[in-house]
Amino acid sequence: FSLLPNCHHRASLSWFGKANFLRMSSDDDTKALSQWDQLEGGNDTQGLTEQVDTPANNPFAQDQSHDPSVAADETEAFQKWDTEHQSAMQLQTKEKLLQESINPRRSCLHGFYVAFSMVVAVVAVLMAVGQLVGIFFESVNPIQSVLRVYVVVLCTLVLMNEMEWTKYTRESTILKIWITRGAIYAFIGVLGLVENDASKGTSSGYDDPGTNLGMLYITGVAWAMIGCGILYFFMGVFCLQIVIGRMQQNYEERVAASSHIEKFHNKMSVTESQKQQDGAMA
């Protein structure tokens, strides 16, 4: 039946075929017939019922003129079924919309940004730990120690910015714009690589397996920070900050409204239950 909309003789389907189909078909077939009626000329099941009621268009009234009550009973049964079906569909749609309003979800792009921000925060923590280990467990000169402290402070700033912990990081123009934010993150990663290379030249125990592993760890997290900075930079270039910002604002508004919707729904449910109890007692 799904091939009917593609047929060149759709108008040739008789009202007798439609009425029999609607009496014996499933919900999916009924939806297909409704779509076919819309393509045919915008007729809906209500219009079909009205035309079935007329003797000229009702095959049951024509073929069974000796007992016209049969066609009337079948038409009435179909009208009752159609009313119940529409009510059930409206109830399911309303329940689905209610659940979506009470439990709002992020869009795919917004969810990706939230996950990416968490990754950047974790990389910043790992990089700061690596620099602290280098300060206390490696033989470095005072200048290198000071530079490592600067890297730790910058990594802490990255963590605070991604978690939006302070007003300073949230309202900072340099950190707020993704292009400059990406450039700063990449610079922090490059600074970590430079410090690591300088430590290789000055450390006398570089051949030790533990020291070698520590150097590889610092190199890995530094490159990860550079990658995060580059990704932030290009997302800002392609104006994804504006798009994701609107998605985030929309999500926050839906979250704020969800609590009010849930409270209102609970009140309406209690009121409806009381009405049913009062009706049952009456």
Side-chain angles (χ1 to χ4, degrees):
F1 185 78
S2 60
L3 297 178
L4 285 175
N6 297 325
C7 181
H8 296 290
H9 303 287
R10 294 175 299 185
S12 63
L13 184 63
S14 65
W15 287 112
F16 178 75
K18 287 185 180 180
N20 279 330
F21 177 81
L22 286 171
R23 288 189 294 107
M24 296 183 296
S25 62
S26 62
D27 293 345
D28 295 336
D29 295 334
T30 306
K31 293 179 183 178
L33 179 59
S34 300
Q35 295 176 358
W36 182 84
D37 281 334
Q38 292 176 2
L39 292 174
E40 186 181 33
N43 295 328
D44 54 6
T45 55
Q46 183 178 0
L48 174 60
T49 306
E50 292 175 355
Q51 296 193 28
V52 170
D53 291 339
T54 62
N57 296 320
N58 192 346
F60 298 103
Q62 295 175 3
D63 299 339
Q64 302 175 7
S65 57
H66 61 281
D67 191 5
S69 61
V70 175
D73 292 341
E74 292 182 350
T75 302
E76 183 180 357
F78 166 71
Q79 289 177 340
K80 182 179 180 181
W81 170 85
D82 184 65
T83 302
E84 294 176 353
H85 176 72
Q86 294 296 333
S87 300
M89 292 295 295
Q90 292 176 0
L91 183 62
Q92 292 177 1
T93 303
K94 182 178 179 181
E95 185 66 23
K96 181 179 179 182
L97 293 175
L98 178 63
Q99 293 300 324
E100 291 178 353
S101 300
I102 295 178
N103 303 307
R105 295 183 178 181
R106 295 183 175 91
S107 61
C108 295
L109 189 58
H110 185 204
F112 165 77
Y113 168 70
V114 173
F116 173 68
S117 180
M118 294 298 297
V119 170
V120 175
V122 171
V123 170
V125 172
L126 295 178
M127 189 171 181
V129 171
Q131 296 297 321
L132 290 175
V133 170
I135 293 174
F136 293 105
F137 296 97
E138 293 182 7
S139 57
V140 293
N141 56 50
I143 296 178
Q144 292 176 349
S145 299
V146 172
L147 290 177
R148 287 179 182 271
V149 171
Y150 272 112
V151 173
V152 172
V153 172
L154 292 175
C155 289
T156 305
L157 184 63
V158 171
L159 177 63
M160 295 171 62
N161 183 44
E162 296 299 325
M163 296 291 102
E164 298 182 354
W165 282 345
T166 62
K167 183 179 179 181
Y168 169 74
T169 56
R170 288 194 301 267
E171 298 181 357
S172 175
T173 304
I174 297 177
L175 297 176
K176 189 175 182 179
I177 301 175
W178 285 7
I179 296 177
T180 54
R181 181 189 296 186
I184 292 174
Y185 288 4
F187 171 74
I188 295 173
V190 171
L191 190 60
L193 287 178
V194 172
E195 275 302 307
N196 196 36
D197 292 338
S199 298
K200 291 179 182 179
T202 58
S203 179
S204 58
Y206 180 67
D207 295 332
D208 182 70
T211 304
N212 191 10
L213 184 62
M215 294 293 182
L216 291 176
Y217 167 80
I218 295 175
T219 302
V221 293
W223 276 112
M225 180 63 72
I226 293 174
C228 294
I230 292 174
L231 187 56
Y232 253 128
F233 179 84
F234 282 105
M235 286 196 302
V237 168
F238 290 106
C239 300
L240 289 181
Q241 182 177 7
I242 299 175
V243 177
I244 296 177
R246 291 176 180 175
M247 292 180 179
Q248 186 174 4
Q249 182 179 1
N250 177 264
Y251 174 75
E252 292 175 353
E253 291 175 354
R254 289 188 288 117
V255 169
S258 63
S259 59
H260 302 289
I261 295 174
E262 186 175 7
K263 291 179 180 178
F264 179 78
H265 173 66
N266 294 334
K267 291 180 179 178
M268 292 296 295
S269 299
V270 172
T271 303
E272 188 67 22
S273 299
Q274 291 178 352
K275 287 182 180 179
Q276 293 179 357
Q277 292 177 0
D278 294 340
M281 294 176 63

